[in-house]
Amino acid sequence: MDSGSARGLALVSGLFIVAQLAGACATGVTDTDIGEDDDGAPSGPTGAGGAASSTGVGRMPTSASQSGSGGAGTTTATTGGMGGATTGTTAATTTTTTATTTTTTATTTTTTGGCTPVDVVSDGGYELGLNTPAWTLTSTNFGTPICDVAGCGTGGGTGPRSGTFWAWFGGEPFYSETATTSQTFVIPNGSMATLEFWLEIPVCDSILDTFEVTMDNTIIYAATGGDAACGNVGYQLKTINVSAYADGGQHTLMFRGDTSALFLSATNFMVDDVSLTACQ
């Protein structure tokens, strides 16, 4: 073979080798990882679907399927008296509580004007326990709005103003909550009748949360989650003249709280030591 033919053969061989190398490089290219998990599903930011935390102070226990007037079903979050949310499916647990019965004796005092004041409210301090028979009780999530510290915590507040029990309206940072305590009694016919109760609002979530006191379905006192008392620990005395109802007839007093957990926190309206004094 002459030198020209040898150079031509070498050139062809070189081109063939270059072509093979180019093919190998082409088949060796891999896709850049664009966020797929091992199973091929696109992955999102860590925690994007996690449970929202609550900065408010929720009530214990938190099982939303406790007996009540329309429970919220199985809940996927657990809150503590002072803590945030813990993700996980929580099965409903039924707890039987035996209330300790305390007999309260009302005291009447005769005034020089011939009026004998009498408190017509029975068990105004809710001391007959979680299911006190003196009151008609409802709660969407908790079965009863009546609390003691061992069963409910304090919700960032005082707990009971006196005794062991009090009424807690709200306390649910994940679901809407409606709770009521109501009682029907006779107000003697006279010139004077005064309703007194103690109210504490240590935590507020939204101005849309409301607390109302009604007599025969007429609002005689109201507060909201935007009240000036929000965030203040300590009970305040509320005094309302209800002499218009002192007619010798039956009347129904109701305390009602409606909270929505709009910002995934709790609004807590606490009530204790209710009395309605009238002349007999």
Side-chain angles (χ1 to χ4, degrees):
M1 180 182 298
D2 57 28
S3 60
S5 298
R7 284 195 298 271
L9 181 58
L11 179 60
V12 172
S13 299
L15 290 174
F16 178 76
I17 294 172
V18 169
Q20 284 187 318
L21 291 174
C25 290
T27 59
V29 175
T30 60
D31 292 337
T32 302
D33 185 0
I34 59 172
E36 290 189 347
D37 294 330
D38 293 339
D39 59 0
S43 61
T46 301
S53 62
S54 167
T55 57
V57 183
R59 170 180 162 178
M60 307 182 300
T62 58
S63 174
S65 56
Q66 286 185 350
S67 61
S69 57
T74 302
T75 177
T76 57
T78 301
T79 62
M82 296 291 292
T86 302
T87 303
T89 300
T90 304
T93 302
T94 301
T95 303
T96 301
T97 303
T98 302
T100 300
T101 301
T102 303
T103 302
T104 303
T105 303
T107 301
T108 61
T109 303
T110 302
T111 66
T112 56
C115 173
T116 302
V118 58
D119 184 4
V120 300
V121 173
S122 298
D123 191 25
Y126 303 105
E127 291 304 304
L128 294 182
L130 301 177
N131 297 296
T132 168
W135 296 85
T136 299
L137 309 170
T138 68
S139 171
T140 305
N141 296 283
F142 303 105
T144 175
I146 309 306
C147 277
D148 61 4
V149 173
C152 301
T154 62
T158 305
R161 176 183 173 270
S162 64
T164 302
F165 298 92
W166 79 102
W168 181 343
F169 303 89
E172 173 53 67
F174 295 102
Y175 303 99
S176 295
E177 165 71 2
T178 296
T180 65
T181 67
S182 63
Q183 186 175 137
T184 299
F185 40 68
V186 174
I187 303 179
N189 188 13
S191 61
M192 179 277 294
T194 303
L195 171 68
E196 292 186 336
F197 63 93
W198 292 80
L199 176 66
E200 180 182 52
I201 317 175
V203 176
C204 291
D205 174 62
S206 167
I207 195 173
L208 300 179
D209 299 333
T210 60
F211 171 76
E212 295 177 347
V213 183
T214 63
M215 186 73 78
D216 299 336
N217 296 318
T218 298
I219 298 173
I220 58 176
Y221 178 85
T224 72
D227 195 278
C230 280
N232 294 326
V233 177
Y235 282 89
Q236 298 179 0
L237 177 63
K238 305 298 178 182
T239 302
I240 303 165
N241 187 333
V242 291
S243 298
Y245 299 92
D247 56 7
Q250 282 193 336
H251 299 280
T252 300
L253 173 69
M254 176 181 287
F255 296 88
R256 174 175 176 141
D258 291 278
T259 58
S260 61
L262 181 64
F263 299 109
L264 296 180
S265 185
T267 295
N268 298 331
F269 300 106
M270 315 295 204
V271 172
D272 204 0
D273 296 330
V274 181
S275 66
L276 197 158
T277 305
C279 286
Q280 189 174 33

